[in-house]
Amino acid sequence: MNLEGQVALVSGGLGHIGRAISCRLTELGAAVAVGDIWPSEQAAPLLQKLGRKARYDQVDVSDDLAVDRWLQAVEQSLGLPNLVIPSAAIVTMSSLRSLTPAEWRKELSINLDGAFFVAHAAAKRLIAAGRPGRIVFIGSWAASVPHAHVPTYCVAKAGLRMLMKQMALEYAPNGILVNEVAPGYVDGGLNNQAFVENTDLREQCRLKVPIRQLMTADDVAFSVAHLCDPRNRHMTGSVVLMDGGLSLK
């Protein structure tokens, strides 16, 4: 696979999965624009690894105007992004009855609104330029399986899946293919803190997976890169479910 001449945009790029995606796309030759909410000094190690064809911007994806400014800056420095990966996400551990309106709104604003703002802004720019592209949402198997301890996350990922399908239908005539990678239990990412604090939980999750393996952020990045491959010309509106068989139970 060769992504030379392509420009990738990765939101949530300082998270475990975002970092892995950024590194993988860079290895394949793409220039990569990384965005996250953290100050730029926290991105220095990643930028050093990515090399000269990369940039970092501090951006809050729940702010549509900030997203527009980010894309404008990226286009001016690296070129028009044609590989778009909305990866920014948070999770609130809470039962539905204990969830506060502020927690609900914040999580949806990042996980769903933010993904829409990034993908929508990028698609508009591609259409205006008459360019094809790829949008790959980072979803979850939780989009179709309720989890009592992360209700807002499940709702957001379910909404993200339908957003993906709507965008796939809308933008297909423009050559913009839109898909979702839906991981199960990742040994890292949003699970990382819980696994670090409770090593027993990590093993419990591993044993729940029919193949008895937790995936890595690099595994997720591999699937994202596959969907970005220029030779992958007919897949749109699809969910790449990589949960090790969790949803079969």
Side-chain angles (χ1 to χ4, degrees), residues 135-147:
I135 298 173
V136 183
F137 289 105
I138 306 302
S140 172
W141 77 297
S144 56
V145 180
H147 291 64

Side-chain angles (χ1 to χ4, degrees), residues 147-244:
H147 291 64
H149 61 294
V150 287
T152 316
Y153 185 81
C154 294
V155 171
K157 293 302 184 180
L160 187 75
R161 183 160 299 172
M162 184 50 67
L163 172 62
M164 177 273 292
K165 291 179 181 292
Q166 291 289 146
M167 286 191 162
L169 180 62
E170 180 79 17
Y171 300 139
N174 302 102
I176 300 172
L177 307 186
V178 187
N179 295 287
E180 174 194 342
V181 170
Y185 292 139
V186 179
D187 194 4
L190 297 178
N191 292 324
N192 187 63
Q193 184 175 351
F195 285 170
V196 169
E197 294 175 354
N198 185 350
T199 55
D200 290 340
L201 178 62
R202 182 186 185 279
E203 182 63 7
Q204 290 166 16
C205 289
R206 186 187 71 80
L207 293 175
K208 287 181 182 178
V209 183
I211 66 169
R212 299 295 189 267
Q213 295 180 46
L214 299 176
M215 76 188 69
T216 67
D218 287 336
D219 292 328
V220 179
F222 178 86
S223 291
V224 170
H226 171 67
L227 292 172
C228 291
D229 189 337
R231 297 169 297 181
N232 192 353
R233 298 181 293 117
H234 301 281
M235 194 170 181
T236 195
S238 297
V239 178
V240 177
L241 179 62
M242 46 186 306
D243 66 356

Side-chain angles (χ1 to χ4, degrees), residues 87-108:
S87 177
I90 62 171
V91 65
T92 303
M93 301 286 187
S94 171
S95 68
L96 193 58
R97 68 183 65 193
S98 300
L99 192 70
T100 68
E103 289 170 333
W104 168 269
R105 185 63 260 159
K106 181 179 180 181
E107 191 164 345
L108 287 180

